[in-house]
Amino acid sequence: MTHGRLRIYLGAAPGVGKTFAMLCEGRRAVRRGRDVVVGFVETHGRPLTEELLAGLETVPRRMIHYRGSAFGELDVAAVLARRPKTVLVDEMAHTNAPGSRHAKRWEDIEELLDAGIDVISTVNVQHLESVNDVVREITGVPQRETVPDEVVRRADQIELVDMSPEALRRRMAHGNVYPPEKVDAALSNYFRVGNLTALRELALLWVADKVDEQLDRYRAEHGIAGTWETRERVVVALSGGPEGDTLIRRAVRIAARTKGADLLAVHVTRADGLAGADPVTLTGQRALVESMGGTYHQVVGDDVSQALLDFARGVNATQLVLGASRRGRLAQLLTRGVGVTATALSGPIDVHLVTHERVTKGRGSPPSRAALTRGRRIAGWVMAVLGVPALAAALVPLRGTLALTSPILLFLAAVVGVALVGGMWPALTAAVGGFLLLTWFFTPPVHAWAVDRPENVLALLVFVLVAGAVSAIVDRAARRAREAARASADAEIMSMLAGHVLRGGAAVPSLLSRLREIFSLTSVTLLERRPDTGPVPRDASDPGAWRIVATSGGPPCTCPGTADTELPVAEGRVLALRGRLLDASDRRVLEAFAAEVAVALRQRRLEERAEQVRPLEEADKMRTALLAAVSHDLRNPLASARAAVESLRSGDVAWSREERAELLATAEESLARLGRLVANLLDMSRLQAGVLGLSLQPVAIEEIVPRALDDLDVLADAGGAVTVDIPAGLPDVEADPALLERILVNVVSNAVRYSPPGVPALVTAGRLGDRAEIRVVDRGPGIPADAHEQVFLPFRRLGDSGDHTGVGLGLALSRGLAEAMGGSLAPEETPGGGLTMIITLPVRPFEGAVPAGQAADGREPPAG
């Protein structure tokens, strides 16, 4: 089955015309004879949108009932049964009502596409997952409905519906977006010019990235290798040398000259993997690039110049930044070098050669690694010094029966054997010695340094040349084999390190433990210079200048001077290794571990800093939500009380006794509601700050519940709507009576509010072990199990119902108060439907306690 095509209209904000453009496209398709239906379109009461919708075939919505409300959603089954060629589906990021076919509307669209139906949809940039946090910081409004970027990027066509902020605000002022009563609030909050400008830039940049992907795909499909300067891209080449930081900063300045330019850093690794740069330096340079908004890449190639240019052309780069050559003057005379070669072959790519302090100072030769072990080299010398003369002594008695070629071949075999065992220099020594022995003992005239026949001279010279060449080849092969084995071992360790990190084992102690195990060390310690010791400690052997960050193994090193091997991790930090001296060949793996330890330590400290900042962030969220919530809920009771008082003070109307009493009751009720709201806010603030004062004392449940119900009499819907079933003889609980009464008022009022008419809420209690439970049971619509914790979030009413008063602090405050008294507040489903709120508090210890698990009157505790 052919997969359907997806077309998306992307906008920067509501009201730019996404739905309008989608409907216009649908009408054009109908005029072209295409089978088009409307799956779901939300007009928001906009007349022009409704006019466009009229006349288009519309699939009826599927009505879903949830918590007493009906929601119209896209009927996927009906669309599949109708099987149009194209379906219009608005608001791609919408969250479907519980009970729908899928949780998200974009999942509905995916099913339609899989069925071969083309879909045209709409989405705003603030609903894209990748920019969700950015939009929240810009507008201060969190977006709970998001769609994964990958889903939108897979669209076959994306069209940006663009509009300037001023034009959109004019459209809103004319009432073309929101109803008139909402226009002023929208213009002064979300739809400020700065917000709209930032959202517009986000949308433009996101679409530009999508277009860039399409361009790269087109160039790859058509084999276009040349550079198309559609966007400024600066590539900086890093060799791993100390000049890298200078090159990166110069490249950043070059990229900053053009708005929206990309910065890419690339390091070329030799194809044989045997020569490489300092991992610690490269890691630091990578961090520098990423901190400046760039990306780091690594490619493999034998020809560095060609590899750099291939990468630059592959990413459609416009400029290439290289460092001036570090080679000496003689080397520059012999070969052109990477910079000159890249400049000559760059074509349309601009090449910048940047000077630095390391110019012409040479690269510095890396420490050489012996191809063979010390034992094999000694064995080779023994074979060369003793074995070759012994072979000559064995062949002398047979020289009368052997032609000269036979001794030459045997000596050649001996030289190859020496080369295989001891390497090149013992083999060359054996070759020279063999030449001399062949000349003295086996070449006529014997026992003389003269050769009488030219062919014998040629044979001896060929022997020396072949022996020398074989020695060099065997030695190089042995060196390569040893280096390859070493590289393989290093790669295996690196792979293990990478796997260890991917599995979540990148904590500093875990990395130190792995390092100690791999190199069989006694202890591995990460030391950090104390901040009060100045830029450089005066004595590396002074324990007072260093502190231990983490350690693994035996007694830790207290300073670098007590370590067998020390390795700098970062500025002011050192890895101190104790147990044995490590070879220089181990340095590469050690530096990789050091780099990972530095990253892990930085990550750990960032997490610690985030933990320190999190309470401030929560407090800021609380403050923001508080300001947003109380702006409405404080205004209503104040307005009611003020209106009642002004009416009473007015001399224009003669109020009767009953009317004056009614106005006074209205003012009293409004002020009482305002007092409860302010008390809740103050208590929540005290809870958040941890300064809530408690007066814990024995409290009788059978006394506190009636007092709480008396307080509920001020609520119009509370009278006679509660049944109390408190067994006699319950022990006292340890609580603050005023706070417990507040908890009961909040919880019972919620139960009464959601109980069906004529079905009273139930308050019961019992004992379970050393704790007592107060259960408040209602038979209302209940709450889904996965949403139980959401009702305890501050400023949250599940379902966002608009017909209830309050800022949604009641349950959040109640749970906080219960936990402050050593108890808890938890929801539970009521058997047969509804919700049970369970208040658990510690029982006041007293003599003659009732056995655990049994109620005070001998009954089992209520099950709710």
Side-chain angles (χ1 to χ4, degrees):
M1 180 183 295
T2 304
H3 193 269
R5 294 177 60 82
L6 175 60
R7 182 174 185 173
I8 296 177
Y9 287 94
L10 175 69
V16 296
K18 303 178 301 299
T19 305
F20 191 91
M22 178 182 69
L23 291 173
C24 288
E25 177 59 27
R27 285 186 166 275
R28 285 193 293 269
V30 170
R31 288 196 296 269
R32 294 194 297 266
R34 194 174 183 87
D35 184 14
V36 179
V37 301
V38 175
F40 187 98
V41 168
E42 187 60 68
T43 64
H44 298 288
R46 298 165 187 166
L48 295 178
T49 306
E50 292 176 348
E51 289 178 10
L52 283 176
L53 183 61
L56 292 175
E57 179 184 350
T58 302
V59 176
R61 299 181 182 183
R62 180 189 175 195
M63 301 307 297
I64 297 177
H65 297 274
Y66 176 69
R67 296 196 64 186
S69 301
F71 301 91
E73 300 291 356
L74 171 65
D75 194 337
V76 179
V79 175
L80 293 174
R82 170 65 174 74
R83 293 203 64 80
K85 187 64 178 176
T86 302
V87 61
L88 310 182
V89 182
D90 204 6
E91 298 181 354
M92 188 178 190
H94 171 74
T95 300
N96 294 329
S100 301
R101 192 182 186 105
H102 300 105
K104 294 286 189 177
R105 184 165 293 162
W106 62 264
E107 295 175 313
D108 297 337
I109 293 175
E110 293 275 297
E111 184 174 354
L112 297 176
L113 294 171
D114 292 338
I117 301 175
D118 295 345
V119 179
I120 303 177
S121 187
T122 64
V123 70
N124 280 326
V125 70
Q126 68 261 30
H127 295 298
L128 296 175
E129 186 67 47
S130 65
V131 298
N132 184 258
D133 56 338
V134 179
V135 172
R136 184 179 67 248
E137 292 179 5
I138 293 172
T139 64
V141 179
Q143 300 292 334
R144 296 182 178 87
E145 294 186 330
T146 60
V147 58
D149 287 51
E150 182 58 30
V151 174
V152 182
R153 288 187 184 278
R154 286 201 302 265
D156 300 278
Q157 188 174 350
I158 297 179
E159 291 192 24
L160 177 66
V161 182
D162 188 32
M163 178 175 288
S164 69
E166 293 77 10
L168 179 56
R169 286 170 60 85
R170 283 197 303 271
R171 176 181 288 187
M172 292 193 65
H174 293 158
N176 295 329
V177 179
Y178 287 148
E181 63 271 14
K182 295 184 178 180
V183 170
D184 290 339
L187 290 175
S188 60
N189 290 284
Y190 190 89
F191 287 85
R192 295 194 299 268
V193 173
N195 289 358
L196 296 177
T197 303
L199 293 173
R200 187 186 188 196
E201 182 178 14
L202 281 177
L204 291 169
L205 291 175
W206 196 94
V207 173
D209 287 338
K210 171 66 177 177
V211 173
D212 204 50
E213 292 176 4
Q214 294 175 338
L215 178 61
D216 290 343
R217 186 165 58 250
Y218 176 85
R219 295 174 69 242
E221 291 173 353
H222 292 77
I224 300 174
T227 300
W228 289 4
E229 298 185 14
T230 56
R231 186 172 184 173
E232 199 72 25
R233 283 187 178 84
V234 181
V235 174
V236 54
L238 302 177
S239 64
E243 75 280 359
D245 291 0
T246 302
L247 301 182
I248 293 170
R249 292 187 174 91
R250 179 60 61 86
V252 169
R253 291 196 295 273
I254 294 173
R257 297 170 187 166
T258 304
K259 180 69 173 177
D262 294 334
L263 174 66
L264 302 91
V266 59
H267 171 68
V268 179
T269 302
R270 296 285 184 180
D272 55 13
L274 300 179
D278 184 358
V280 176
T281 303
L282 277 179
T283 300
Q285 292 172 359
R286 176 174 185 168
L288 178 60
V289 170
E290 293 174 349
S291 68
M292 294 186 175
T295 57
Y296 177 84
H297 307 267
Q298 191 161 328
V299 298
V300 178
D302 286 323
D303 188 335
V304 177
S305 302
Q306 192 61 48
L308 287 175
L309 291 174
D310 289 343
F311 174 82
R313 295 189 183 104
V315 299
N316 206 23
T318 56
Q319 302 189 61
L320 177 61
V321 178
L322 299 170
S325 178
R326 286 185 284 149
R327 301 179 306 147
R329 299 186 182 277
L330 179 60
Q332 293 184 36
L333 291 175
L334 297 176
T335 57
R336 295 197 298 177
V338 173
V340 177
T341 304
T343 303
L345 302 176
S346 62
I349 301 176
D350 298 335
V351 179
H352 303 262
L353 285 178
V354 180
T355 60
H356 49 86
E357 60 183 10
R358 299 288 300 177
V359 173
T360 71
K361 292 185 179 180
R363 296 180 178 271
S365 57
S368 61
R369 296 181 179 179
L372 301 173
T373 63
R374 184 169 180 271
R376 287 186 60 178
R377 292 198 302 273
I378 292 174
W381 284 110
V382 171
M383 291 176 62
V385 174
L386 301 179
V388 174
L391 176 62
L395 293 178
V396 166
L398 303 175
R399 62 186 175 188
T401 60
L402 296 175
L404 180 60
T405 55
S406 297
I408 289 177
L409 291 176
L410 291 173
F411 274 94
L412 183 59
V415 171
V416 172
V418 172
L420 289 173
V421 174
M424 182 174 65
W425 294 110
L428 289 177
T429 302
V432 173
F435 172 79
L436 297 176
L437 292 173
L438 285 171
T439 303
W440 183 263
F441 290 106
F442 299 97
T443 304
V446 296
H447 302 148
W449 297 113
V451 180
D452 58 356
R453 299 176 62 180
E455 60 269 20
N456 290 341
V457 175
L458 180 61
L460 292 173
L461 292 176
V462 170
F463 164 77
V464 173
L465 293 176
V466 171
V470 169
S471 301
I473 292 172
V474 170
D475 179 77
R476 175 171 293 186
R479 184 181 298 274
R480 291 286 183 175
R482 180 172 176 81
E483 290 176 341
R486 179 71 192 190
S488 176
D490 290 352
E492 185 176 353
I493 294 175
M494 298 291 188
S495 175
M496 181 182 62
L497 175 62
H500 187 64
V501 172
L502 291 175
R503 288 190 297 271
V508 174
S510 178
L511 289 170
L512 298 186
S513 178
R514 299 295 292 180
L515 178 60
R516 181 178 59 85
E517 292 172 2
I518 289 172
F519 291 100
S520 301
L521 299 170
T522 304
S523 68
V524 178
T525 307
L526 177 61
L527 298 171
E528 185 175 48
R529 186 176 63 235
R530 294 187 183 276
D532 54 353
T533 58
V536 180
R538 292 185 297 274
D539 188 0
S541 299
D542 179 13
W546 302 85
R547 70 179 187 90
I548 297 175
V549 178
T551 186
S552 175
C557 298
T558 56
C559 58
T562 61
D564 296 322
T565 303
E566 60 177 280
L567 184 71
V569 172
E571 184 178 357
R573 300 188 188 98
V574 173
L575 268 181
L577 314 179
R578 178 183 288 172
R580 65 184 181 91
L581 292 174
L582 297 179
D583 298 335
S585 58
D586 295 322
R587 191 85 179 177
R588 189 185 189 92
V589 177
L590 287 174
E591 289 171 342
F593 266 97
E596 193 60 44
V597 166
V599 172
L601 181 61
R602 183 167 63 249
Q603 180 179 356
R604 188 180 79 178
R605 292 189 169 170
L606 287 175
E607 291 173 353
E608 292 173 352
R609 195 171 303 167
E611 287 296 329
Q612 296 172 356
V613 174
R614 187 166 287 115
L616 298 177
E617 181 183 1
E618 293 298 328
D620 185 64
K621 288 181 180 179
M622 175 70 67
R623 184 165 53 252
T624 302
L626 172 64
L627 293 174
V630 302
S631 61
H632 170 74
D633 291 274
L634 284 177
R635 189 184 304 122
N636 286 347
L638 281 175
S640 298
R642 180 178 179 181
V645 172
E646 288 179 350
S647 298
L648 289 171
R649 294 184 61 188
S650 174
D652 299 334
V653 179
W655 302 103
S656 65
R657 184 186 301 272
E658 291 78 10
E659 291 171 336
R660 291 177 64 84
E662 183 178 354
L663 288 173
L664 288 172
T666 299
E668 182 181 7
E669 180 182 348
S670 299
L671 292 175
R673 193 172 70 185
L674 179 62
R676 290 195 302 274
L677 174 61
V678 172
N680 281 346
L681 292 172
L682 290 175
D683 283 345
M684 180 58 73
S685 299
R686 295 188 186 104
L687 276 175
Q688 294 290 327
V691 294
L692 181 67
L694 295 176
S695 177
L696 297 180
Q697 54 186 280
V699 177
I701 296 178
E702 59 268 22
E703 295 179 2
I704 198 70
V705 170
R707 282 161 45 189
L709 296 181
D710 289 341
D711 289 344
L712 281 172
D713 286 341
V714 298
L715 298 177
D717 58 350
V722 179
T723 300
V724 179
D725 182 15
I726 305 294
L730 281 177
D732 292 348
V733 295
E734 187 84 9
D736 185 311
L739 297 184
L740 180 55
E741 186 177 336
R742 292 277 301 285
I743 296 173
L744 287 168
V745 168
N746 285 329
V747 175
V748 174
S749 64
N750 272 323
V752 171
R753 181 178 296 124
Y754 290 105
S755 292
V759 181
L762 171 65
V763 179
T764 184
R767 180 179 178 181
L768 190 64
D770 60 349
R771 307 185 78 79
E773 290 183 348
I774 303 174
R775 291 173 172 259
V776 181
V777 185
D778 71 64
R779 297 290 180 178
I783 299 174
D786 56 356
H788 278 178
E789 291 303 313
Q790 296 182 20
V791 299
F792 295 105
L793 297 178
F795 314 106
R796 173 70 62 88
R797 289 188 297 267
L798 197 64
D800 293 328
S801 177
D803 57 350
H804 299 307
T805 60
V807 295
L809 270 178
L811 291 179
L813 176 61
S814 298
R815 170 174 274 188
L817 295 177
E819 291 175 348
M821 294 186 293
S824 64
L825 176 62
E828 183 181 277
E829 293 184 8
T830 303
L835 184 70
T836 298
M837 300 299 293
I838 306 172
I839 306 169
T840 304
L841 292 168
V843 170
R844 175 76 171 185
F846 68 100
E847 295 182 0
V850 188
Q854 187 176 353
D857 58 353
R859 300 183 301 173
E860 292 297 322

